[in-house]
Every structure is written in C-alpha cells, then in structure tokens.
Amino acid sequence: MTDTSFDSETTAKAAESGANASVQFRERMAAAAAGSGPIDHKRVDYLASKAVKALNDIVLEDKVSYTEYNALKAWLIKVGEDGEWPLFLDVWLEHSVEEVANEHREGSKGTIEGPYYIGDSPEVEWNGTIPMRDDEPGTPFIFAGQVRAVDGQPLAGAKLELWHADNLGFYSQFAPGLPEWNLRGTFVANEEGRYEIHTIRPAPYQIPTDGACGQLIAAADWHAWRPAHLHLKVSAPGHETNTSQLYFPGDPHNNDDIASAVKPELILDPKPNPDGEGEITEYDFVLDPEA
Ligand code: MBD
Ligand code: FE
C-alpha cells in the first residue's frame, strides 16, 4: 500500500497547486479565444436563468440565513483570491460535463481531465522511461497495451500523453521544487498500435487543505482525497481524443473519490513484473471515429 501520510512541509507545498492551475488555464483559454464563435444569447439566457433559479430555490426551501449568505459570499471571494476556481470546478462539476460530452462513445470510457494537464510534453522513444529524477521514489511500473479503432484496426502512430503525480502526490509545474517535465511524457504507438511506458506508481492525491476548497472540505467535514491515478490523453488522426484516468485496485478512495471520476472500466490490473522490479499492467485504448 502506498504511504498516504503527509508532513506539514509537503502539505504546505501543495497549497500553490490550485493557484498555478488558474494561471495555466488562463493561458490556454487566451490561445483558444481566437477560434471561439459569437455569443449565443439565447443559450446564455437559458442556462444562466436556470442556474440562478436553482440557487434561489435552495435559499427559499432551506431558509438560508444572512449569516450563511455572507459566509458564502466570503468563501466565493476567497476561491478567486486563492486561484482555486479550476480546482473547484474540476473536482465538483467536470464529471457531469464529461458524462454529457462522451455519452455517444462506443470506444474506451474516458473521465475528467482535471486541472493539471500541460500540452507538448517531451516525446519519449518507444519502450522508454517517462522523464523522472534519478532517484525518483516509488514502485517501478510498466504500463503497456494497444490503441485500436472501434472496428478493431490497430492505430499505428497513436499518441499517448501521460501525466501523473509523484510518490508524494505532487504534479510538476504545479507544486514547486520538481523538474519541469517530471512524470510528464508523450509516447507514440508502434506499427501494431502497441505502446510500452516505464514509470512509477503515483500516490493518492489530497486536495490542498489550506485554500478555499480545503476550507469547504473541512467545514463540511468531508475527506479531501482522490485515489492514485494516471492521467492520459490518447489521440490519432481522424479519431476522437480519449481523455482518461486509470486507477489501482484496492485504493481506499476508488469508491469515494472526491472528484467522482472513477469508473469500474478504468481500474487497472497490475501484476508483479516477471522480468524485474515493480509491476506491469496491460491496458488497451479503443478510439471512436471523429464525427
Ligand atoms: C487532481 O489530480 C485531479 O486529477 C483532479 C481531477 C482534481 C484535482 C487534482
Ligand atoms: Fe490528477
């Protein structure tokens, strides 16, 4: 079992991750803005009215007091100040957006992207090791399989982008003190659509406890954990990109992920590596054709 205990030093380090996710998101949106269309006023009217009504209904039905209203106002201000809107939304809302976006798919299940994706990670040769420190702690882990289309055709040259937390639950470029591309890499499937990636097993992830999201979690007496997971984006020309996360059997938080992003199809089946240290697992991706 992975050690999930955190000392005060590592907890403090986690705090900046939410704010860094805001910076990252703004940059990505600025780049995408050029391609976005005109405002659909009818749709905004419909959705915004519905959202406002849902909140008003809660106030009326549950007789929300001025004390509670002011606590909400203070908390919303703090979410912004702490830069935790991407963290908040990806933890508590993205799973429904993903469900709607991908319900038509016949290929592999996906799940939420979360706040810590970075594009253009270094390309690693087939069979290679993801960028990591010389003394990277954690169980060595070989992650291999095949990328196919829904008709069974192997997708030679499919691209797999993998990013995951380290053995303490930290993501490079979001928690300080890690090499820029630590545990982030881009891999290309071979002629048979097969890939083989060498990495280490990530630790479970704790939502930063000292920001606005942590404040809500403490006030509501919830737990702050996501199960250990690998993040992936698998893509091939003419196919829909599969954004996914893969989980490990037996993780205590597979059944109560705070981000509601675990699906039974996404739990891996690692075995001891017969040829060396650590573990090995096989997982195949099936991509839907682009509409
Ligand atoms: C994560 O690592 C993550 O994957 C999600 C969805 C939310 C917060 C942290
Ligand atoms: Fe994650």
Side-chain angles (χ1 to χ4, degrees):
M1 196 60 251
T2 318
D3 180 11
T4 58
S5 62
F6 281 74
D7 58 28
S8 55
E9 189 190 333
T10 52
T11 305
K13 238 172 69 159
E16 291 160 61
S17 295
N20 287 338
S22 282
V23 174
Q24 196 62 41
F25 181 78
R26 248 184 252 120
E27 283 171 15
R28 262 172 87 188
M29 284 303 105
S36 72
I39 294 172
D40 181 345
H41 297 286
K42 277 216 174 84
R43 180 74 173 163
V44 175
D45 171 30
Y46 175 76
L47 292 178
S49 298
K50 208 163 171 175
V52 169
K53 182 174 186 309
L55 289 170
N56 277 276
D57 286 348
I58 294 170
V59 171
L60 296 173
E61 280 168 26
D62 296 295
K63 301 196 184 299
V64 172
S65 69
Y66 260 103
T67 307
E68 290 168 331
Y69 172 66
N70 286 328
L72 173 65
K73 210 186 264 188
W75 182 77
L76 290 171
I77 292 167
K78 186 170 163 58
V79 178
E81 282 171 353
D82 291 350
E84 286 195 342
W85 279 115
L87 182 65
F88 173 78
L89 290 166
D90 292 353
V91 167
W92 282 293
L93 194 59
E94 192 189 351
H95 66 94
S96 294
V97 180
E98 190 277 332
E99 183 180 322
V100 171
N102 294 332
E103 63 192 351
H104 66 285
R105 287 195 182 177
E106 289 169 21
S108 301
K109 284 268 180 257
T111 191
I112 64 174
E113 178 175 310
Y116 302 141
Y117 170 70
I118 311 256
D120 297 318
S121 60
E123 210 172 288
V124 181
E125 83 227 293
W126 202 86
N127 212 347
T129 299
I130 198 167
M132 65 168 72
R133 293 163 287 185
D134 289 340
D135 55 352
E136 190 68 44
T139 305
F141 191 67
I142 302 174
F143 177 60
Q146 191 187 38
V147 186
R148 293 187 299 273
V150 285
D151 66 4
Q153 193 72 16
L155 292 171
K159 186 169 96 173
L160 295 97
E161 294 172 86
L162 172 64
W163 72 101
H164 65 83
D166 69 11
N167 190 47
L168 290 172
F170 295 121
Y171 286 87
S172 60
Q173 300 191 44
F174 293 91
L178 295 167
E180 187 178 16
W181 294 105
N182 211 54
L183 304 176
R184 295 177 182 274
T186 299
F187 302 80
V188 178
N190 72 6
E191 283 308 305
E192 288 90 51
R194 285 198 56 87
Y195 68 92
E196 181 177 316
I197 297 169
H198 295 243
T199 186
I200 54 111
R201 268 182 70 150
Y205 180 85
Q206 188 184 30
I207 304 296
T209 52
D210 54 350
C213 291
Q215 195 181 41
L216 170 63
I217 289 165
D221 201 17
W222 297 336
H223 75 76
W225 292 95
R226 297 214 59 223
H229 56 279
L230 304 172
H231 287 271
L232 283 124
K233 265 185 197 290
V234 181
S235 56
H239 293 79
E240 291 191 19
T241 296
N242 178 285
T243 300
S244 192
Q245 298 184 33
L246 298 170
Y247 304 92
F248 298 87
D251 190 298
H253 292 295
N254 281 345
N255 295 318
D256 66 354
D257 176 14
I258 191 168
S260 310
V262 180
K263 304 177 186 185
E265 299 88 342
L266 302 177
I267 299 178
L268 295 168
D269 184 23
K271 304 262 191 277
N273 178 7
D275 305 318
E277 275 185 288
E279 294 174 330
I280 184 163
T281 197
E282 283 267 336
Y283 186 85
D284 294 351
F285 292 91
V286 178
L287 303 188
D288 282 73
E290 222 157 40

